[in-house]
Amino acid sequence: MSETSPNNEPSHSQAHPPAGSLSSDQRAAYWSRNIRLLVSLLLIWSVASFGCGILLRDWLDQWVMPGSSFPVGFWFAQQGSIIIFVVLVFIYARRMNGLDREFGVAEDED
Amino acid sequence: MDVQSWTFVLVGLSFALYIGVAIWSRAGSTKEFYVAGGGVPPLANGMATAADWMSAASFISMAGIISFAGYDGSVYLMGWTGGYVLLALLLAPYLRKFGKFTIPDFVGDRYESNTARIVAVLCAIFVSFTYVAGQMAGVGIVLSRFLEVDQTTGVLIGMGIVFFYAVLGGMKGITYTQVAQYCVLIFAYLVPAIFLSILMSDNPIPMLGFGGSGVDGVPLLQKLEGLHKDLGFDSYLDGSKSTIDVFMITASLMAGTAGLPHVIVRFYTVPKVRDARKSVGWALVFIAILYLTAPAIAVFARTNLLDTVSNQPYNEMPEWFTKWESTGLLAWEDQNGDGIIQYTGLSSSIPNELEVNRDIMVLANPEIAALPDWVIGLVAAGALAAALSTAAGLLLVVSTAISHDLLKRAVMPDISEKGELRAARIAAGVAVVIAGWFGINPPGYVAETVALAFGLAASSFFPALLLGIFSKRMNRSGAIAGMVCGIGFTAGYIIYWQFLNREISAADRWWFGISPQGIGALGMVVNLVVATVVSRFTAPPSVGVQAMVEDIRVPKGSIPAHEIEV
């Protein structure tokens, strides 16, 4: 739903001044790594909320969260999905900062 | 000290704090006025974003809504937090790299069109005013209830405070005031929640407490579910909305959240792309603290209310009952004349005698649970912090839209920096007055217009921004066609059901059972499809724009806002 194909780069993009100091191949590699990372994180995002919290809720509700009386689906809808969202955003920030350094496009420290 | 004095002291202290912060951080340039100079640390920006985002609705109404809707209330919990994941992964870092100040800036430059810019300006203004009306009304309710002034005076006091720091301080003043407001509001939200959790479940952590056992050993959720069944209310754990509707509403709120102009602009205020990524994470942490607590408060408050009032004689009701009756938020009518309160749901054979407004679940909660007086004063200060911080952020969007997007970028490009700053201040001042007018004369359909605001953000801004970043082929014709179809479709559906045919609006008549609240997600799909198809049949965007898209995808060389020549 939220992904647009990354493969629609027009052929004449080679002629553009490079962003940062990257060659166009490096830029494409950087971008496809970014896309791969965010697709996998968004997959987890949708499984946690739309999956466990909504579509699979009735089925999951037959169990309770260990040590509490939360039905599992209900817990995902009101607690679990939110906790997972927070973790996903930090994982993204961390992994992207690593990717920036790997490609030498991290911003300078002050 | 009694409740009244505690409220005066705590509200007064918090106001003094905001004014002090505003004077310390007043803005001297347009850059400081629009984006706080682009120098806000990520943690502070996260707190400010959280305060900006969590409005009177989040603070006062959300726990109450969940309290009545049970599982159905999850759409707000997931929708309003899940949107930040979209923001963090799909929008914030790239928009920060783009620089500039506003969404219309991006839309106008990316699609090389002043028409698109102006459409974006109008949407931003509409969305912001929709929200502000609710905030000012919230300020009025809180001040009138806790300080016993009338609603109009309450709104005027709120206007005065917001006017002071929004007009003087711009984004810089607002940001640092919001940091203070976040601290006040989260403290005010957590203290009663922790008290209640200890009282009702013996566990000081509310998020765990509401899934634990009550003091009588019965699990709280089961006890509440049982009460709901006995009294004929919808099941708390299952809710009553259809799965598809819950799905679509959640999706609309997520995309709408990611597309709201006052949230996005916050990520222009941090120094670097790296900071934008991290800053969304902090914002979400601070928001999650309240959102994880809200469902706990909902369960505690609902159980407490049912225990206290259901089948009890009216003349044995505690003092808070009559106090809230006088505000009209609680109304009891003794239909069978037995002097006992029958509070029942639709599927009960006994007629219901009690009307409970959802807002009192948070506001009256400390009184219902007989918490100390200072906690009640604290809740008032927290509710005001939530309403004022959101109002200020929205007013800034309106003033920026007028002085920057409309005047500087479209109508009078030659305006001087000083002139632009003056225009921004005047626009902010006028916006405060209009917002105040809405607060004193609230339109009768705030909830419906809020659905419209989210629907529009989801079906216009979010796809336009997303495609602008992720598709280099997306061009002006595609984006405009997409926005027009997305907005037209969404607004048409909402207006048809919410305004024109309200009385026959029902789940079995809606398309696929999707409520007007959830239609934004479908509008978004319409936008994405139309935009993609139209762009394939029209010329690709200029080489300059394609280079710009390349450029925003890579963080290095992040140019500080305002240094990009246009």
Side-chain angles (χ1 to χ4, degrees), chain B residues 125-303:
Chain B
I125 292 177
F126 172 80
V127 169
S128 304
F129 269 124
T130 307
Y131 254 80
V132 157
Q135 306 312 315
M136 282 300 175
V139 171
I141 291 175
V142 173
L143 285 176
S144 63
R145 164 61 187 83
F146 288 99
L147 298 183
E148 287 167 28
V149 294
D150 64 80
Q151 168 98 3
T152 309
T153 318
V155 173
L156 289 175
I157 296 174
M159 277 169 67
I161 298 283
V162 173
F163 187 84
F164 188 80
Y165 68 75
V167 174
L168 256 184
M171 187 56 132
K172 195 172 168 207
I174 287 175
T175 300
Y176 290 104
T177 318
Q178 281 171 337
V179 171
Q181 282 163 333
Y182 178 78
C183 300
V184 172
L185 83 86
I186 200 67
F187 187 66
Y189 204 77
L190 289 179
V191 166
I194 291 169
F195 264 113
L196 277 171
S197 190
I198 294 173
L199 274 177
M200 298 189 64
S201 71
D202 237 356
N203 187 333
I205 303 166
M207 299 81 160
L208 300 176
F210 85 109
S213 293
V215 276
D216 51 1
V218 184
L220 274 175
L221 284 171
Q222 268 67 359
K223 180 181 175 188
L224 182 56
E225 184 73 1
L227 282 171
H228 264 235
K229 282 220 172 80
D230 294 346
L231 297 172
F233 293 104
D234 288 329
S235 161
Y236 192 86
L237 294 174
D238 290 336
S240 62
K241 281 187 165 61
S242 68
T243 301
I244 180 160
D245 203 21
V246 170
F247 188 100
M248 294 302 279
I249 295 176
T250 307
S252 301
L253 294 178
M254 283 177 174
T257 301
L260 281 181
H262 70 292
V263 176
I264 294 182
V265 70
R266 297 239 45 115
F267 300 100
Y268 287 94
T269 65
V270 293
K272 293 185 167 70
V273 173
R274 192 170 60 223
D275 300 325
R277 291 183 190 132
K278 212 186 303 164
S279 187
V280 186
W282 285 120
L284 190 52
V285 167
F286 295 126
I287 292 168
I289 296 174
L290 190 143
Y291 276 51
L292 291 172
T293 311
I297 293 186
V299 168
F300 297 143
R302 184 79 182 155
T303 312

Side-chain angles (χ1 to χ4, degrees), chain A residues 6 12-13 15 17-18 20 22-23 26 34 36 56 60-61 69 78 82 84 86 96 98-99 101 106-108:
Chain A
H12 51 276
S13 67
L22 295 184
S23 73
Q26 281 175 309
N34 177 21
R36 237 180 321 176
L56 303 174
L60 288 172
D61 273 353
S69 59
Q78 301 213 332
I82 300 176
I84 291 170
V86 173
M96 282 309 286
L99 197 64
R101 277 192 297 275
E107 299 145 293
D108 307 323

Side-chain angles (χ1 to χ4, degrees), chain B residues 151-514:
Chain B
Q151 168 98 3
T152 309
T153 318
V155 173
L156 289 175
I157 296 174
M159 277 169 67
I161 298 283
V162 173
F163 187 84
F164 188 80
Y165 68 75
V167 174
L168 256 184
M171 187 56 132
K172 195 172 168 207
I174 287 175
T175 300
Y176 290 104
T177 318
Q178 281 171 337
V179 171
Q181 282 163 333
Y182 178 78
C183 300
V184 172
L185 83 86
I186 200 67
F187 187 66
Y189 204 77
L190 289 179
V191 166
I194 291 169
F195 264 113
L196 277 171
S197 190
I198 294 173
L199 274 177
M200 298 189 64
S201 71
D202 237 356
N203 187 333
I205 303 166
M207 299 81 160
L208 300 176
F210 85 109
S213 293
V215 276
D216 51 1
V218 184
L220 274 175
L221 284 171
Q222 268 67 359
K223 180 181 175 188
L224 182 56
E225 184 73 1
L227 282 171
H228 264 235
K229 282 220 172 80
D230 294 346
L231 297 172
F233 293 104
D234 288 329
S235 161
Y236 192 86
L237 294 174
D238 290 336
S240 62
K241 281 187 165 61
S242 68
T243 301
I244 180 160
D245 203 21
V246 170
F247 188 100
M248 294 302 279
I249 295 176
T250 307
S252 301
L253 294 178
M254 283 177 174
T257 301
L260 281 181
H262 70 292
V263 176
I264 294 182
V265 70
R266 297 239 45 115
F267 300 100
Y268 287 94
T269 65
V270 293
K272 293 185 167 70
V273 173
R274 192 170 60 223
D275 300 325
R277 291 183 190 132
K278 212 186 303 164
S279 187
V280 186
W282 285 120
L284 190 52
V285 167
F286 295 126
I287 292 168
I289 296 174
L290 190 143
Y291 276 51
L292 291 172
T293 311
I297 293 186
V299 168
F300 297 143
R302 184 79 182 155
T303 312
N304 225 340
L305 178 79
L306 293 177
D307 268 350
T308 313
V309 304
S310 183
N311 289 320
Q312 302 295 321
Y314 175 73
N315 53 23
E316 285 176 21
M317 280 297 114
E319 193 198 342
W320 61 262
F321 196 92
T322 41
K323 245 168 42 184
W324 284 95
E325 268 188 309
S326 68
T327 62
L329 297 180
L330 194 65
W332 178 63
E333 194 188 343
D334 194 4
Q335 304 208 5
N336 56 6
D338 63 356
I340 290 173
I341 299 168
Q342 270 90 30
Y343 182 40
T344 55
L346 288 175
S347 52
S348 168
S349 54
I350 306 161
N352 177 38
E353 299 180 344
L354 189 69
E355 291 301 330
V356 185
N357 183 295
R358 63 188 188 202
D359 289 351
I360 75 172
M361 300 309 275
V362 165
L363 295 178
N365 212 358
E367 293 165 277
I368 298 177
L371 300 183
D373 286 350
W374 62 269
V375 178
I376 299 165
L378 190 63
V379 169
L384 288 170
L388 292 174
S389 58
T390 307
L394 291 162
L395 290 169
L396 191 81
V397 169
V398 173
S399 94
T400 312
I402 291 169
S403 67
H404 180 73
D405 297 321
L406 217 56
L407 281 184
K408 171 85 180 170
R409 301 301 303 279
V411 185
M412 309 168 48
D414 300 328
I415 193 169
S416 70
E417 158 102 8
K418 247 180 133 177
E420 194 186 338
L421 189 58
R422 196 179 316 123
R425 289 207 159 108
I426 294 171
V430 173
V432 172
V433 174
I434 298 176
W437 188 84
F438 277 125
I440 296 167
N441 309 293
Y445 34 82
V446 172
E448 285 78 8
T449 39
V450 168
L452 197 54
F454 272 93
L456 289 186
S459 62
S460 62
F461 285 144
F462 180 67
L465 296 173
L466 187 73
L467 292 170
I469 296 162
F470 286 84
S471 165
K472 259 198 295 189
R473 184 65 180 74
M474 186 46 58
N475 58 12
R476 181 193 314 168
S477 326
I480 294 179
M483 280 207 273
V484 169
C485 294
I487 294 174
F489 173 82
T490 307
Y493 192 85
I494 295 177
I495 291 169
Y496 183 82
W497 287 118
Q498 300 260 50
F499 297 95
L500 302 180
N501 294 291
R502 245 195 112 74
E503 58 295 339
I504 59 156
S505 181
D508 53 352
R509 294 176 202 248
W510 297 330
W511 281 359
F512 314 112
I514 302 170

